[in-house]
Amino acid sequence: MYQYKDREFTEIRFDGQDLRYGELVRCTFTKCTFMNTSMDEIDTSHCRFIECDFKGAALNASIHTESAFENCKFTGANLFVTKFITCKMTGSDFAGAQMDGITLSGGDWSYTNLRHTKLGKQDLRGIRFFEADLSESDLSKADLRDCDLTRVMLGKATLTGADLREAKLEGIDLKALNVKGVRMDREQAVLFLRSYGAKVD
């Protein structure tokens, strides 16, 4: 077990290293690479990762609290049962990442690529997904209340049994959604009917 506190790293290559079981507190990593790095069970708190590359990294069972991963690449990374608690993930790409059992609790996931992600039955209340790509993702029975889903891509996403009440749905192609079993509030239902040309008084 190791601990890094209040440290800054710029353009450092951590590729292939064994960084498991560590604790990172208030550290900043700028344009660092963690390709194929073992980072299982690490804890980060109030850290910033800016334009870092986690391609193929193992982050299983890691916990991230109020950390920021801005414009990072997680291509093919293993995020099995990883927890992100009130994190800022703006612009990060999770293409091909293993995200089974992941926990998203609050935070800002704007402009992220979360295509094909399994988020069924998750409590996603209040998360900001502004302009995120959730195409073909599984959101069945997910709690999306109070989420900002403005201009989110939801093509071929599974929403059966999801709760969308109080969520912002501006700029979403509602006609492309299968809303069977979805819970909506009155305002959303009106928006949905109007998308089909209905006149609602």
Side-chain angles (χ1 to χ4, degrees):
M1 171 101 181
Y2 62 91
Q3 185 184 67
Y4 291 160
K5 250 185 183 174
D6 301 304
R7 292 182 61 179
E8 292 198 17
F9 302 86
T10 303
E11 296 185 3
I12 305 292
R13 298 178 73 95
F14 295 96
D15 304 346
Q17 291 187 31
D18 185 347
L19 297 176
R20 292 176 295 173
Y21 318 121
E23 186 181 6
L24 308 176
V25 182
R26 294 184 303 276
C27 293
T28 302
F29 298 82
T30 306
K31 294 186 177 176
C32 295
T33 59
F34 297 88
M35 291 192 273
N36 302 311
T37 304
S38 297
M39 303 175 78
D40 309 76
E41 298 185 43
I42 67 159
D43 281 8
T44 75
S45 174
H46 301 89
C47 291
R48 278 190 82 191
F49 296 84
I50 303 156
E51 293 180 34
C52 293
D53 194 342
F54 294 89
K55 184 179 181 180
L59 287 145
N60 311 27
S62 57
I63 299 172
H64 310 279
T65 308
E66 293 186 43
S67 289
F69 294 82
E70 298 164 73
N71 298 308
C72 292
K73 291 178 185 164
F74 290 89
T75 318
N78 192 335
L79 295 161
F80 181 69
V81 299
T82 295
K83 290 182 181 175
F84 291 98
I85 302 159
T86 326
C87 289
K88 184 180 181 183
M89 311 298 292
T90 46
S92 289
D93 187 352
F94 294 87
Q98 155 68 275
M99 296 175 77
D100 289 356
I102 194 169
T103 300
L104 315 187
S105 179
D108 188 348
W109 290 72
S110 300
Y111 309 106
T112 49
N113 175 8
L114 291 165
R115 293 173 73 99
H116 307 286
T117 307
K118 293 175 183 171
L119 295 170
K121 298 181 182 173
Q122 283 242 22
D123 182 352
L124 303 171
R125 280 178 294 179
I127 293 177
R128 190 167 191 257
F129 286 110
F130 186 87
E131 289 198 16
D133 188 350
L134 284 158
S135 308
E136 300 181 57
S137 57
D138 180 7
L139 293 162
S140 54
K141 296 184 180 171
D143 191 342
L144 293 157
R145 283 177 291 173
D146 298 311
C147 284
D148 185 350
L149 300 172
T150 305
R151 293 201 286 278
V152 165
M153 286 182 257
L154 285 165
K156 295 184 182 174
T158 306
L159 286 160
T160 315
D163 192 341
L164 288 172
R165 289 174 297 170
E166 306 294 324
K168 291 181 187 171
L169 302 178
E170 287 86 359
I172 289 179
D173 182 4
L174 296 173
K175 286 194 283 191
L177 299 184
N178 178 356
V179 294
K180 186 179 179 184
V182 171
R183 295 190 73 172
M184 289 184 174
D185 56 38
R186 280 197 187 92
E187 236 171 84
Q188 293 167 337
V190 168
L191 204 65
F192 182 71
L193 289 168
R194 282 186 176 146
S195 75
Y196 278 93
K199 290 179 179 175
V200 184
D201 296 326

